[in-house]
């Protein structure tokens, strides 16, 4: 059975993950590949100066056909390091071309619009993505962070084959309708936040205080009653961990990957031991899924 994991490079880009070094990044990538990971997710905005793209490129040289590369365009950084959503065709084309040069490859296996630009009609952005595909710079195109209407409009302008959306044990809203509808329509659904920024890996203590600059406390699940509930669930997962032999992280990844309609799960890591653990994650059995669902 193929791995359900696409390895996300955001944690290695050095933007919100504190203290990542080039040595960390190289060791983590090596561990992921040694563990059997062959699919990677990067983006023009993963790093202030293409750190994610450049890192990935070092591991593709001479072995391109072994790996699948998902790229994303539509987000970038301003001169003062503020995230900017920019879906203008000229920007999408320029950033896709730049990412390919940074990585050192001729085309993306999948190129995604990172997020819709409120100031640009999504059909206009989609047409630019289609032009990139027609030029041979992407085999397929897709879109991230959209609602059903936006997905419909994007797909009306270009042959869209994939969509990215959030999903984890604690935040299941996309299972209510979006994922089933997208899967039924034939899209490959790739989900992210399976570990919810590390919380569902089970190694963040209830009383953990995040370092200054860490973005995780800004997320609702890390605050107040929501965080307390998350730790209650994690405590109960210990028994399932012991009975299955899977780690908390592997259970969390496996749960997301095993949901109907989900084609793959995007997961990142910042250390080699985390990458090795992620690479060993598999889809879960019906009994394992039932045990997890019963405690949430």
């Amino acid at each position: 059975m193929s791995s359900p994991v696409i390895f996300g490079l955001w944690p290695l880009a050095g933007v919100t993950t504190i203290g990542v070094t080039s040595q960390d990044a190289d060791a983590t990538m090596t561990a992921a590949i040694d563990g059997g990971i062959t699919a990677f997710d990067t983006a023009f905005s993963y790093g202030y100066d293409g750190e994610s793209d450049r890192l990935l490129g070092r591991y593709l040289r001479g072995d391109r056909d072994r790996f699948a590369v998902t790229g994303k365009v539509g987000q970038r950084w301003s001169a003062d390091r503020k995230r900017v959503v920019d879906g203008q065709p000229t920007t999408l084309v320029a950033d896709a071309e730049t990412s390919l040069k940074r990585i050192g490859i001729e085309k993306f296996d999948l190129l995604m619009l990172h997020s819709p630009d409120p100031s640009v009609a999504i059909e206009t952005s989609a047409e630019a993505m289609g032009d990139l595909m027609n030029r041979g710079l992407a085999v397929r195109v897709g879109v991230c962070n959209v609602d059903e209407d936006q997905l419909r409009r994007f797909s009306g302008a270009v042959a869209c084959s994939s969509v990215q959306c959030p999903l984890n044990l604690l935040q299941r809203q996309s299972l209510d309708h979006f994922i089933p509808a997208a899967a039924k329509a034939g899209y490959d659904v790739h989900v992210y936040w399976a570990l919810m920024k590390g919380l569902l890996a089970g190694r963040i203590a209830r009383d953990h205080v995040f370092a200054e600059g860490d973005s995780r406390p800004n997320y609702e699940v890390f605050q107040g009653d929501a965080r307390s509930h998350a730790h209650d669930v994690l405590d109960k997962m210990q028994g399932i961990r012991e009975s299955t032999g899977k780690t908390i992280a592997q259970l969390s990844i496996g749960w997301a990957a095993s949901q109907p309609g989900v084609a793959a799960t995007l997961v990142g890591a910042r250390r080699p031991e985390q990458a090795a653990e992620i690479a060993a994650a598999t889809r879960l059995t019906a009994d394992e899924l039932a045990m997890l669902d019963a405690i949430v």
Side-chain angles (χ1 to χ4, degrees):
M1 182 183 294
S2 62
S3 171
V5 173
I6 299 172
F7 194 76
L9 272 65
W10 170 251
L12 298 178
V15 177
T16 58
T17 307
I18 308 300
V20 175
T21 67
S22 59
Q23 291 80 8
D24 293 332
D26 282 322
T28 302
M29 285 290 291
T30 298
I33 293 170
D34 287 348
I37 295 290
T38 58
F40 293 90
D41 177 89
T42 184
F44 179 84
S45 61
Y46 283 5
Y48 295 121
D49 187 32
E51 285 81 354
S52 168
D53 289 343
R54 299 180 203 281
L55 171 65
L56 179 59
R58 296 203 294 272
Y59 289 85
L60 298 186
R61 290 174 191 149
D63 208 8
R64 172 66 178 96
D65 292 341
R66 180 183 171 193
F67 301 107
V69 178
T70 296
K72 295 195 286 288
V73 289
Q75 292 185 11
R76 59 203 336 265
W77 298 97
S78 64
D80 57 351
R81 295 190 168 183
K82 302 294 184 183
R83 192 192 302 269
V84 176
V85 175
D86 189 341
Q88 298 177 85
T90 53
T91 303
L92 298 178
V93 170
D95 290 356
E97 292 173 344
T98 297
S99 271
L100 288 171
K101 290 177 183 177
R102 288 169 174 169
I103 301 169
I105 59 177
E106 294 181 354
K107 61 187 175 185
F108 294 103
D109 298 287
L110 174 62
L111 180 63
M112 313 281 282
L113 179 67
H114 208 151
S115 56
D117 183 343
S119 65
V120 177
I122 197 168
E123 293 88 349
T124 301
S125 297
E127 289 169 0
M129 302 288 284
D131 289 342
L132 287 163
M133 186 166 57
N134 292 337
R135 289 173 54 198
L137 301 187
V139 178
R140 300 186 297 139
V141 298
V143 63
C144 314
N145 305 306
V146 289
D147 59 29
E148 289 183 62
D149 179 63
Q150 290 170 323
L151 177 57
R152 177 188 57 78
R153 291 169 54 200
F154 185 90
S155 298
V158 67
C160 174
S161 65
S162 184
V163 62
Q164 287 186 9
C165 65
L167 177 68
N168 61 60
L169 266 168
L170 302 172
Q171 299 167 311
R172 305 175 172 215
Q173 297 90 332
S174 56
L175 284 176
D176 293 340
H177 194 263
F178 184 85
I179 288 175
K184 184 177 180 180
Y187 300 103
D188 287 338
V189 180
H190 298 165
V191 299
Y192 58 86
W193 286 358
L195 296 181
M196 196 52 229
K197 304 291 184 178
L199 180 60
L200 288 172
R203 298 192 182 94
I204 298 175
R206 286 179 183 267
D207 59 354
H208 178 80
V209 177
F210 294 97
E212 184 176 353
D214 196 314
S215 65
R216 285 175 288 187
N218 297 325
Y219 291 88
E220 183 179 355
V221 73
F222 285 93
Q223 301 169 9
D225 290 343
R227 181 168 176 182
S228 179
H229 172 65
H231 286 289
D232 290 343
V233 169
L234 288 164
D235 288 345
K236 294 174 184 176
M237 288 177 72
Q238 291 296 335
I240 302 175
R241 177 188 65 79
E242 293 169 4
S243 66
T244 62
K246 294 180 170 67
T247 67
I248 300 295
Q250 289 166 347
L251 288 168
S252 298
I253 295 167
W255 180 88
S258 301
Q259 298 308 304
V262 173
T265 306
L266 291 152
V267 192
R270 62 161 293 179
R271 295 193 297 272
E273 62 270 22
Q274 294 172 337
E277 180 181 24
I278 288 165
T282 61
R283 294 178 175 87
L284 304 184
T285 66
D287 287 345
E288 290 167 340
L289 288 168
M291 286 189 288
L292 287 170
D293 287 333
I295 66 172
V296 177

